[in-house]
Amino acid sequence: MDPLTAHELGRVRALATSSLCDADKTLALPDPAIRAMVPGVRMAGPAVTVVAPDDHLPVLLAAGEAAPGSVLVITNPRGTRAIAGELVAAEARRRGLAGIVIDGFCRDVAGLRVLGLPVFARGSTPASGTARDPRGVDEGAVALGGVAVRPGDVVLGDDDGLAVATPDQLRAALAGAEEIERAEAAVLAGLGQGRSLADQTTIAEHRAARAAGRESSLGFRV
């Protein structure tokens, strides 16, 4: 698959994950228990996969091997130890990575928030894993919260959660997601001016159509 261009990736990063999910409701959604450890950030980048069974050495190695702009996707779903923390995130930020996603636990949450690099995990624990496994970057698919992620898939994330898509899916969804955000911004402005939500959407017509058993889609009137 052809990777997203820098321009396309910039357009993706400017959008909320929810807008892209609205534009393409088939985007894969990892378990929402994998959540943002650093609030108020937005992430998008091609996946670099890492397998780290309660061992943070593969993560340390991968942070030094992954290309700038990529997202480290680390799996340790049955583990009980933290496999990434402030040092890994600081190295990832130094090298220009887009973020870190862990199907497992992290630590050093206060330090992660100061750094500001997007980090997603199932939670935190102070206990670190071992440092014995010599693997670094994997080259195969991994399971992230029940979703298959292949190297090169684009991983998106913000405070609402994560989504996974192919570059082609995102290319097809971009214009629709941008239009959704333009329409929602107009509706919010209207609400601020005292216009009702019903006046700015097709909710009445949509309700009537659904009550009559007809196909219909809720839309904006902007």
Coordinates of all heavy atoms in Angstrom, one line a residue, residues 4 35 41 47 75 79 81-82 85 105-106 139 169 175 178 202 215 221:
L4 N 0.7 7.4 3.1 CA 0.2 8.8 3.0 C 1.3 9.8 2.7 O 2.4 9.6 3.3 CB -0.5 9.2 4.2 CG -1.8 8.5 4.6 CD1 -2.3 9.0 5.9 CD2 -2.9 8.6 3.5
R35 N -6.3 3.8 26.4 CA -6.7 5.2 26.4 C -5.5 6.2 26.5 O -4.4 5.7 26.8 CB -7.7 5.4 27.6 CG -7.1 5.2 28.9 CD -8.1 5.2 30.1 NE -7.5 5.1 31.4 CZ -7.0 4.0 31.9 NH1 -7.1 2.8 31.3 NH2 -6.5 4.0 33.2
V41 N -3.9 15.7 23.4 CA -3.0 15.5 22.3 C -3.7 14.8 21.2 O -4.8 14.2 21.4 CB -1.7 14.8 22.7 CG1 -0.9 15.6 23.7 CG2 -2.1 13.4 23.2
A47 N 2.2 2.7 11.6 CA 2.5 1.8 12.7 C 3.9 1.1 12.5 O 4.2 0.7 11.4 CB 1.5 0.7 12.9
T75 N 2.8 -4.5 22.0 CA 1.8 -5.5 22.5 C 2.4 -6.2 23.7 O 3.5 -6.8 23.6 CB 1.3 -6.4 21.5 OG1 2.4 -7.2 20.9 CG2 0.6 -5.7 20.3
G79 N 0.6 -9.1 30.0 CA 1.6 -8.7 31.0 C 1.1 -7.9 32.2 O 0.0 -7.4 32.1
R81 N 3.5 -5.8 33.9 CA 4.6 -4.9 34.1 C 4.6 -3.7 33.1 O 4.1 -3.9 32.0 CB 5.9 -5.6 34.1 CG 6.1 -6.7 35.1 CD 6.5 -6.2 36.4 NE 6.6 -7.2 37.4 CZ 7.3 -7.1 38.6 NH1 8.0 -6.0 38.8 NH2 7.2 -8.0 39.5
A82 N 5.1 -2.6 33.5 CA 5.2 -1.5 32.6 C 6.3 -1.7 31.6 O 7.4 -2.2 32.0 CB 5.5 -0.2 33.4
G85 N 8.0 4.1 29.6 CA 7.9 5.2 30.5 C 8.5 6.4 30.0 O 8.7 6.6 28.8
F105 N 0.8 -1.9 29.9 CA 0.9 -0.8 30.9 C 2.1 0.0 30.6 O 3.1 -0.4 30.1 CB 1.0 -1.4 32.3 CG -0.3 -2.1 32.7 CD1 -0.3 -3.5 32.8 CD2 -1.4 -1.4 33.0 CE1 -1.5 -4.2 33.1 CE2 -2.6 -2.1 33.4 CZ -2.6 -3.5 33.4
C106 N 2.0 1.3 31.1 CA 3.2 2.2 31.1 C 3.4 2.6 32.5 O 2.8 2.2 33.5 CB 2.9 3.4 30.2 SG 1.6 4.5 30.9
E139 N 8.3 -7.0 12.3 CA 7.9 -6.7 10.9 C 6.6 -7.4 10.5 O 6.3 -7.4 9.4 CB 9.0 -7.2 9.9 CG 10.3 -6.4 10.1 CD 11.4 -6.8 9.1 OE1 11.1 -7.7 8.3 OE2 12.4 -6.1 9.1
Q169 N -7.9 3.9 3.0 CA -9.2 4.2 3.7 C -9.2 5.7 4.1 O -10.2 6.4 4.0 CB -9.3 3.4 5.0 CG -9.8 2.0 4.7 CD -9.9 1.2 6.1 OE1 -8.9 1.0 6.8 NE2 -11.2 0.9 6.4
A175 N -11.9 14.0 2.7 CA -12.8 15.1 2.3 C -14.1 15.1 3.1 O -14.6 16.1 3.6 CB -13.1 15.0 0.8
E178 N -13.4 16.3 6.7 CA -13.2 17.7 6.7 C -14.5 18.4 6.6 O -14.8 19.5 7.3 CB -12.3 18.1 5.6 CG -10.8 17.7 5.9 CD -9.9 17.8 4.7 OE1 -10.4 17.9 3.6 OE2 -8.7 17.8 4.9
T202 N -31.6 18.0 10.2 CA -32.8 17.4 9.6 C -33.5 16.4 10.6 O -34.2 15.4 10.2 CB -32.5 16.6 8.3 OG1 -31.6 15.6 8.6 CG2 -31.9 17.6 7.3
E215 N -35.8 4.5 4.9 CA -34.4 4.7 5.1 C -34.2 6.2 5.1 O -34.8 7.0 4.4 CB -33.6 4.1 3.9 CG -33.5 2.6 4.0 CD -32.8 2.1 5.3 OE1 -31.8 2.8 5.7 OE2 -33.3 1.2 5.9
R221 N -28.1 21.2 8.4 CA -28.8 22.2 7.5 C -27.9 23.5 7.7 O -28.3 24.4 8.4 CB -30.2 22.5 8.0 CG -31.2 22.8 6.9 CD -32.5 23.3 7.4 NE -33.1 22.3 8.3 CZ -33.9 21.3 8.0 NH1 -34.1 21.1 6.7 NH2 -34.5 20.6 8.9

